[in-house]
Amino acid sequence: MKTLTIEKELIDLQVKKLLNIIEVTEPKNDTLFSGRIGQILYYFYMFRYFEDEKYADKGVELIETILHNMDTHKSPYLLKPAFSYGLSGFGYVLSLLKDEGIIDINFDEQLCEFDDIVYTKTLEDVVKRNTDYLHGSLGVLLYLSRRLSNPKVEKYLEILVETLSKTAIRDSRGVRFENSHIARLNESDNINLGLAHGLCGILMILLKIHAKGICKTQIEEIVSGGINFILSYKTPQDFATGKYSFFPLTINEKEPWNSDKNIEEYGSRLGWCYGDLNEILLLYTASKQFGVPEWADIADEVGCNTIERKNRKETIVIDSHICHGSIGMAQYYKRFYEMTALPIYEEGYYYWIERTLQFLEKETTDPLFRSHAGELLEGFVGISLGLISAVSEEDLKWDSVFLLS
């Protein structure tokens, strides 16, 4: 994709404005999505983009702080394996930065320890059907998929995938999984189809493992069945009646698929976390990996239709952050354009970058948004990474923590 050269000066000024806010914001905790781990990712990519050593120094300082907090038991979250707040998220960021050549610090000894700890604890989570990508077992599988330099990890992944497969629900509609974490929080056993907590996220992570040559036959069966399940709920859009989505957010299988409660789930949300963009990403990725062009055709149909959805009613996008804001939308369209070269995705990308800049005019002075400045998922940290990706001459892979690269 061509860079936004015409806007580079403007975007650089905006990123530096956000930097000034982030630098004086105390991190809330040691987590990936709202704390220091996310800021490690941020500062090292700022170092790569601006080529200024002070950002690398800040990243090293944050790593040292987290390691100290782990040693002194000041970071209880990091005793747990979860990707969003625990050990696997920390390990993933360190592995990503090393793989990208951004850091040359050797963390192999620590990471091998992390591998053993998260595997043991995550096996229990898989058995208990906690399939959540952010807060359960699947994020740990994502981390381990980067850790094949450790000879133990391939076997760990084989066991985890086999155990996960045994928990799957299989019938004529296809394959899907329970999520005990969400069921407990929401007091609902609906099947979630989203990226953050549901089937799209599970299948995307399995595709990462499949790409490494592990459990290929088993994963092909699960992913194909999962896509069949998702496609069985695909229904036409009808803007006139307020039905903007092709796919539901969740499904209650105890009721008819077209019951009022299930129809309500075909909502207008578009975002990183929920909505039709999740299914498009899955379909494009699986189509290329498995050689099924029909899935890409469906993704083209749905994707081109999402471009028409721009206002608040049609998207529920009301701010700029990654999770369900405008920069998350932009990053999806950037990756879709790279996958397909369809000009309509480039159009969508530029539109949502411009919307992000417009939102920031208010958000940078709003105390509520400034209070979340240091967060990756819902703050200025993630927004800044999205903005530098718009003008960088390099392909910045920070968004792999969000399954987008």
Side-chain angles (χ1 to χ4, degrees):
M1 174 180 286
K2 67 181 181 181
T3 58
L4 288 173
T5 51
I6 193 171
E7 297 286 356
K8 188 177 189 308
E9 183 177 355
L10 172 63
I11 285 181
D12 282 356
L13 286 172
Q14 183 64 77
V15 170
K16 288 178 179 179
K17 183 177 182 180
L18 296 175
L19 260 167
N20 291 336
I21 299 170
I22 293 165
E23 286 180 318
V24 298
T25 303
E26 180 67 22
K28 293 182 177 180
N29 49 49
D30 286 342
T31 69
L32 173 57
F33 286 121
S34 62
R36 289 185 180 87
I37 298 172
Q39 290 190 15
I40 291 169
L41 190 73
Y42 167 75
Y43 279 112
F44 276 112
Y45 274 99
M46 290 297 132
F47 160 61
R48 167 161 280 188
Y49 179 69
F50 287 115
E51 298 182 340
D52 189 330
E53 290 286 344
K54 71 180 180 182
Y55 300 127
D57 292 342
K58 182 64 175 177
V60 170
E61 179 186 332
L62 288 166
I63 291 173
E64 291 173 346
T65 298
I66 292 173
L67 291 173
H68 172 75
N69 288 345
M70 290 175 66
D71 288 342
T72 56
H73 303 286
K74 292 180 180 178
S75 259
Y77 287 122
L78 288 175
L79 302 176
K80 299 180 180 181
F83 192 74
S84 64
Y85 59 81
L87 204 55
S88 63
F90 186 33
Y92 188 94
V93 167
L94 296 180
S95 299
L96 171 64
L97 294 171
K98 186 70 181 293
D99 292 346
E100 288 285 278
I102 301 175
I103 61 174
D104 58 6
I105 308 169
N106 189 340
F107 292 106
D108 286 349
E109 184 177 347
Q110 288 97 334
L111 291 175
C112 285
E113 291 179 9
F114 292 1
D115 299 342
D116 294 340
I117 293 168
V118 300
Y119 164 70
T120 301
K121 293 186 177 182
T122 297
L123 188 57
E124 299 172 7
D125 269 346
V126 175
V127 171
K128 293 175 182 177
R129 292 174 167 77
N130 182 356
T131 57
D132 206 87
Y133 149 41
L134 296 188
H135 311 308
S137 61
L138 265 293
V140 178
L141 271 70
L142 177 63
Y143 159 64
L144 291 174
S145 73
R146 291 202 82 97
R147 292 288 303 139
L148 293 174
S149 59
N150 179 352
K152 293 182 181 179
V153 167
E154 182 170 349
K155 188 63 177 177
Y156 288 167
L157 284 170
E158 288 173 353
I159 293 170
L160 288 167
V161 170
E162 173 66 28
T163 306
L164 177 69
S165 180
K166 290 177 181 177
T167 71
I169 303 168
R170 293 177 170 88
D171 60 20
S172 59
R173 273 196 182 271
V175 176
R176 63 279 198 196
F177 297 87
E178 298 174 39
N179 183 333
S180 60
H181 173 80
I182 292 297
R184 183 177 68 254
L185 287 182
N186 295 347
E187 298 182 353
S188 166
D189 55 3
N190 286 9
I191 300 296
N192 189 302
L193 301 187
L195 195 73
H197 305 294
L199 190 55
C200 283
I202 294 169
L203 301 183
M204 282 296 298
I205 291 167
L206 290 177
L207 285 168
K208 300 279 188 186
I209 297 168
H210 177 275
K212 301 295 177 68
I214 299 171
C215 300
K216 292 187 71 171
T217 301
Q218 198 164 31
I219 289 174
E220 286 167 14
E221 181 269 329
I222 294 171
V223 171
S224 297
I227 288 175
N228 288 341
F229 180 79
I230 291 168
L231 293 181
S232 76
Y233 287 102
K234 177 178 177 284
T235 62
Q237 290 177 304
D238 185 358
F239 281 21
T241 63
K243 184 184 181 299
Y244 299 106
S245 296
F246 283 90
F247 299 102
L249 304 178
T250 71
I251 280 293
N252 182 343
E253 294 196 279
K254 294 178 181 177
E255 297 193 10
W257 79 268
N258 57 351
S259 67
D260 289 344
K261 287 186 178 179
N262 278 331
I263 290 298
E264 287 177 2
E265 293 296 307
Y266 290 83
S268 55
R269 166 76 75 198
L270 274 181
W272 170 77
C273 51
Y274 295 108
D276 285 355
L277 298 178
N278 296 188
E279 283 81 7
I280 297 164
L281 176 68
L282 171 64
L283 289 167
Y284 278 138
T285 306
S287 172
K288 181 178 180 181
Q289 213 158 307
F290 292 177
V292 184
E294 294 83 2
W295 291 342
D297 292 341
I298 296 169
D300 287 347
E301 174 198 3
V302 179
C304 291
N305 207 289
T306 64
I307 301 295
E308 298 178 21
R309 299 164 62 182
K310 290 185 168 69
N311 64 41
R312 178 171 181 166
K313 181 180 180 182
E314 296 165 353
T315 63
I316 322 184
V317 174
I318 60 174
D319 51 35
S320 62
H321 61 65
I322 285 179
C323 188
H324 41 271
S326 59
I327 200 67
M329 297 276 289
Q331 198 66 18
Y332 263 119
Y333 287 127
K334 173 181 171 64
R335 295 307 184 188
F336 292 163
Y337 180 73
E338 292 166 354
M339 290 174 176
T340 68
L342 290 174
I344 197 164
Y345 288 139
E346 189 175 33
E347 173 193 324
Y349 180 57
Y350 288 125
Y351 174 81
W352 288 106
I353 288 290
E354 290 297 331
R355 290 293 290 131
T356 298
L357 294 173
Q358 290 166 13
F359 281 133
L360 285 171
E361 290 177 7
K362 174 184 176 183
E363 292 172 6
T364 50
T365 59
D366 187 320
L368 175 61
F369 287 96
R370 289 174 70 101
S371 70
H372 294 277
E375 299 179 22
L376 176 63
L377 184 63
E378 297 189 27
F380 294 162
V381 164
I383 297 163
S384 299
L385 290 169
L387 290 177
I388 64 170
S389 288
V391 291
S392 175
E393 295 180 357
E394 296 184 86
D395 183 14
L396 306 178
K397 299 288 189 180
W398 60 268
D399 61 349
S400 71
V401 302
F402 296 102
L403 301 177
L404 297 182
S405 63

